[in-house]
């Protein structure tokens, strides 16, 4: 039996043969607190060997305990020659002893910790005292004590190693033992992960991350209204759940109604609120705001505000602005926005016939969508003439054949390549829509395996260069902007692709989202070639364009070179008539040669904003009617 000897603290040194060289400051402080709580006694003796100097000893096993005792001595809590009980061993096996202590030591079982902590808690000890007694953190104590919520049946399963600690921890979100056991037995063995367990136990609760909770101001606002919250100690975010779903819905409804009261004052026929986007509302007929000329006074105010904005922006950019310049710039922006808001409005007919939908969008943001006409009211409007008299519906009557605008397959490929270039640069600059587009494409592939081409994005990731499809690639604005963006990103990405993953891990989330948008944009493909099996994917590009609010005249201009010289005389005449009216068409018809017709059409259509159908972004109404921009030539560029 090894003899216990007592050695003064100031005679003990760190053993150079100790395999553990480093101890965390937090760990040493926690152990010092534990020693203090136990009357400055060690639960385990130090193992020592004789030192190189007479009367001194090396601590072979117990380096952290020695550091904790020295910390207490430095603080004046114990004497420098504090007596320490030790076991002496031969120096030849010092390394083996140190290695055995550090490697063979087994951590205390979590349930054993729980029972020990629980026993002290029942004696009246608070969490901080228990943490100090065991040299651990308060959060660890709270997590172990939370296991008291778990059914004894499940605790035993964990002891028998039939359940992981992550699974056991998931059950602490509920204290209903019967429901816990029911959930465990109901879940299939392959779906018993912690997330699935929590979801099953909280299906009647509302998570703090739910967009409804976020909309009302988070759990703090919900609790202020008297709502109870259940929090999960094993969730690092510790977000929690609202247990009163009815109260959450009530608070959401009240906040939506506060907005609705202001919108009703605008004079709409009806205003409806919903916590989610109404099903099929995109398919409803819709009135859009009309342009309104500003008064001379408002126009003068807008011009002055714009001039002031430009002057302030220039001063800020040149670094010579005063400290109040940024504040002034923000105020001027508000004045400009307010004046610009007066440049459009809804007609009295729209207010009389249509209404407004107020709801929470996908991200939980407040959406106010004006001008929608309900289907039954829409049918009634269509069956009335201008005098308000009812007439039989004209549905089913066959329209006489009329000349139509015709595009060659090569021209359609060229025009839709311009459209694709615009979609790519717009998507690259819109991370939120890019995220939705990528997830949409991925879900089509994993959840709808027979509909993988119903996305404009060619993921996996497929990137087709547009230059071969565009006759004059150098003139394509979207392509030029996208290439510039690619060059800009190229300067920031690491040169070695092996470093890319670690580099991305170090970037802030908004930078990663921007790169996601940039990468997703490469996959966009709305190019319609003569033979394609991607018809539905090409059509979905219109949904993408509407989500991005792409304004195609910013990216493509109808000119003689870009369009008219590639179509026949009939198409030129019909286009001019559609864009500028019948009298303009006569000017084209009078031309003796096609080249003259092209020149005249170029001059007449210039600045009108008219676009060929293949390059247009179809409006939501056209999409839901089953008409793509390439299929329906009768819609002018009003949606743009």
């Amino acid at each position: 039996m090894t003899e216990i000897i007592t050695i003064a603290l100031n005679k003990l040194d760190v053993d150079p043969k100790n395999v553990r060289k480093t101890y965390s400051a937090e760990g040493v402080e926690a152990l010092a607190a534990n020693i203090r709580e136990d009357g400055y006694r060690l639960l385990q003796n130090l193992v020592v060997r004789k030192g190189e100097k007479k009367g001194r000893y090396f601590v072979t096993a117990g380096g952290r305990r020695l550091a904790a005792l020295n910390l207490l001595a430095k603080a004046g809590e114990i004497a420098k020659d504090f007596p320490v009980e030790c076991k002496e061993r031969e120096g030849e096996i010092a390394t083996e002893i140190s290695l055995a202590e550090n490697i063979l030591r087994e951590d205390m079982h979590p349930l054993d910790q729980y029972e020990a902590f629980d026993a002290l808690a029942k004696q009246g000890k608070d969490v901080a005292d228990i943490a100090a007694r065991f040299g651990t953190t308060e959060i660890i104590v709270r997590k172990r004590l939370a296991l008291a919520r778990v059914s004894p049946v499940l605790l035993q399963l964990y002891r028998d190693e039939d359940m992981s600690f992550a699974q056991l921890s998931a059950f602490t979100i509920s204290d209903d033992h019967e429901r816990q056991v029911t959930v465990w037995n109901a879940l299939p063995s392959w779906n018993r992960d912690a997330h699935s367990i929590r979801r099953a136990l909280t299906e009647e609760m509302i998570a703090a991350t739910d967009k409804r909770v976020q909309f009302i101001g988070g759990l703090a606002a919900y609790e202020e209204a008297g709502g109870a919250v259940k929090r999960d100690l094993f969730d690092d975010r510790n977000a929690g759940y609202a247990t009163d779903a009815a109260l959450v819905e009530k608070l959401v409804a009240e906040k939506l109604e506060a907005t609705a009261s202001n919108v009703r004052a605008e004079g709409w026929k009806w205003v409806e609120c919903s916590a989610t986007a109404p099903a099929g509302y995109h398919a409803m007929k819709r009135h859009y705001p009309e342009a309104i000329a500003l008064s001379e006074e408002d126009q003068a105010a807008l011009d002055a505000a714009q001039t002031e904005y430009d002057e302030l922006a220039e001063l800020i950019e040149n670094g010579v602005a005063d400290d109040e310049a940024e504040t002034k710039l923000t105020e001027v922006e508000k004045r400009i926005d307010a004046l610009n808001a007066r440049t459009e409005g809804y007609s009295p007919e729209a207010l009389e016939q249509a209404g407004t939908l107020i709801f929470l969008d996908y991200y939980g943001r407040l959406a106010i969508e004006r001008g929608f006409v309900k289907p039954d009211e829409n049918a009634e409007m269509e069956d009335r003439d201008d005098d308000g008299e009812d007439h039989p519906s004209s549905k089913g009557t066959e329209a006489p054949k009329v000349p139509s605008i015709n595009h060659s397959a090569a021209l359609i490929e060229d025009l839709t390549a311009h459209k694709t270039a615009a979609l790519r640069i717009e998507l690259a600059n819109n991370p939120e829509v890019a995220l939705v587009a990528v997830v949409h494409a991925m879900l089509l592939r994993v959840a709808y395996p027979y509909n993988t081409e119903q996305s404009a994005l060619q993921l996996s990731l497929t990137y087709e260069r547009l230059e071969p499809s565009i006759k004059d690639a150098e003139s394509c604005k979207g392509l030029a902007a996208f290439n510039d963006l690619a060059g800009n990103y190229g300067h920031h990405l690491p040169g070695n692709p092996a470093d890319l993953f670690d580099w991305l891990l170090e970037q802030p989330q908004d930078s990663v989202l921007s790169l996601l948008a940039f990468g997703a944009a490469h996959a966009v493909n709305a190019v319609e070639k003569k033979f394609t099996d991607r018809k539905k994917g090409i059509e979905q590009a219109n949904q993408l364009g509407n989500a991005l609010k792409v304004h195609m005249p910013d990216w493509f201009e109808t000119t003689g070179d870009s369009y008219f010289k590639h179509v026949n005389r009939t198409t030129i005449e019909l286009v001019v008539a559609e864009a500028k009216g019948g009298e303009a068409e006569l000017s084209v018809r009078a031309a003796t040669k096609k080249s003259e017709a092209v020149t005249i059409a170029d001059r007449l259509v210039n600045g009108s904003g008219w676009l060929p159908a293949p390059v247009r972004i179809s409006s939501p109404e056209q999409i839901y009617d089953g008409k793509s921009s390439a299929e329906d030539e009768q819609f002018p560029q009003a949606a743009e």
Side-chain angles (χ1 to χ4, degrees), residues 27-331:
V28 172
E29 290 172 0
L31 183 55
N34 179 271
I35 295 171
R36 181 189 302 114
E37 286 291 319
D38 199 31
Y40 300 102
R41 293 178 298 178
L42 294 180
L43 295 176
Q44 186 177 359
N45 297 326
L46 303 182
V47 177
V48 299
R49 66 183 177 91
K50 285 185 169 64
E52 297 173 353
K53 296 181 179 180
K54 186 178 180 179
R56 300 198 69 84
Y57 291 85
F58 285 126
V59 177
T60 301
R64 191 163 70 100
R65 278 164 277 162
L66 175 63
L69 289 170
N70 283 327
L71 182 65
L72 292 171
K74 184 177 180 180
E77 296 186 43
I78 59 176
K80 293 181 179 180
D81 59 352
F82 180 80
V84 182
E85 293 184 345
C86 305
K87 296 178 182 178
E88 185 181 0
R89 296 289 178 89
E90 295 80 5
E92 290 78 8
I93 59 171
T95 300
E96 289 84 348
I97 293 172
S98 174
L99 194 62
E101 185 194 48
N102 286 285
I103 292 181
L104 300 180
R105 181 175 57 195
E106 183 176 2
D107 290 335
M108 192 175 182
H109 191 280
L111 287 188
D112 292 339
Q113 284 184 319
Y114 152 62
E115 291 176 352
F117 295 168
D118 186 54
L120 291 176
K122 288 177 179 177
Q123 294 174 15
K125 297 281 188 181
D126 60 29
V127 170
D129 289 337
I130 297 173
R133 176 67 181 82
F134 283 86
T136 187
T137 63
E138 292 186 28
I139 187 62
I140 291 295
V141 175
R142 293 184 190 279
K143 285 183 176 183
R144 295 297 180 266
L145 291 176
L147 296 176
R149 302 175 187 169
V150 182
S151 165
V153 174
L154 300 177
L155 292 176
Q156 189 58 49
L157 285 174
Y158 175 62
R159 280 196 184 277
D160 296 339
E161 298 185 357
D162 292 327
M163 178 189 297
S164 70
F165 187 69
Q167 291 171 314
L168 181 69
S169 301
F171 285 103
T172 62
I173 193 63
S174 168
D175 53 12
D176 186 336
H177 290 180
E178 183 178 349
R179 178 163 174 73
Q180 290 172 356
V181 175
T182 299
V183 165
W184 175 258
N185 292 330
L187 289 174
S189 59
W190 50 266
N191 195 34
R192 283 175 170 170
D193 58 276
H195 176 73
S196 298
I197 293 170
R198 285 193 183 93
R199 183 175 57 196
L201 290 170
T202 60
E203 60 184 0
E204 296 179 359
M205 304 179 192
I206 300 177
T209 54
D210 188 283
K211 64 183 181 182
R212 292 168 294 176
V213 176
Q214 294 295 310
F215 175 65
I216 64 176
L219 286 180
Y222 163 79
E223 289 182 285
E224 188 175 341
V229 174
K230 178 81 74 174
R231 286 188 168 86
D232 182 2
L233 285 174
F234 292 89
D235 179 359
D236 292 336
R237 296 170 301 174
N238 200 25
Y241 298 84
T243 61
D244 191 341
L247 177 58
V248 172
E249 296 291 352
K250 176 176 178 290
L251 295 173
V252 169
E254 288 175 352
K255 193 166 182 179
L256 289 173
E257 183 57 35
T259 301
S261 62
N262 294 327
V263 176
R264 288 192 184 95
E266 298 173 10
W268 295 101
K269 182 176 182 180
W270 52 266
V271 175
E272 293 181 357
C273 299
S274 173
T276 57
Y281 81 95
H282 283 299
M284 296 167 65
K285 180 178 178 181
R286 186 175 188 180
H287 289 280
Y288 291 93
E290 300 174 359
I292 300 173
L294 288 175
S295 66
E296 292 184 4
E297 182 180 354
D298 284 345
Q299 186 61 56
L302 179 59
D303 293 340
Q306 190 62 58
T307 300
E308 184 180 355
Y309 179 90
D310 293 340
E311 291 173 351
L312 283 169
E314 184 176 358
L315 290 173
I316 293 171
E317 186 175 347
N318 293 331
V320 295
D322 58 31
D323 295 338
E324 298 180 358
E326 293 285 355
T327 303
K328 292 178 182 176
L329 191 69
T330 302
E331 293 174 352

Side-chain angles (χ1 to χ4, degrees), residues 319-373:
V320 295
D322 58 31
D323 295 338
E324 298 180 358
E326 293 285 355
T327 303
K328 292 178 182 176
L329 191 69
T330 302
E331 293 174 352
V332 173
E333 282 181 327
K334 290 179 180 178
R335 294 210 309 270
I336 291 174
D337 290 342
L339 289 166
N340 281 328
R342 301 179 190 177
T343 61
E344 61 178 23
Y346 291 89
S347 67
E349 292 78 10
L351 293 172
E352 181 183 352
Q353 298 166 1
T356 299
L357 297 168
I358 300 175
F359 57 90
L360 302 185
D361 69 7
Y362 177 83
Y363 298 99
R365 298 170 301 199
L366 181 67
I368 304 175
E369 299 289 345
R370 298 174 172 86
F372 286 99
V373 179

Side-chain angles (χ1 to χ4, degrees), residues 574-608:
L574 291 172
V575 165
V576 172
E578 183 178 299
K580 303 298 290 184
E583 293 184 5
E585 179 188 5
L586 294 176
S587 300
V588 176
R589 192 172 295 176
T592 57
K593 298 180 180 179
K594 180 184 175 181
S595 60
E596 294 176 1
V598 169
T599 302
I600 295 170
D602 181 275
R603 175 175 53 82
L604 291 173
V605 176
N606 180 42
S608 68

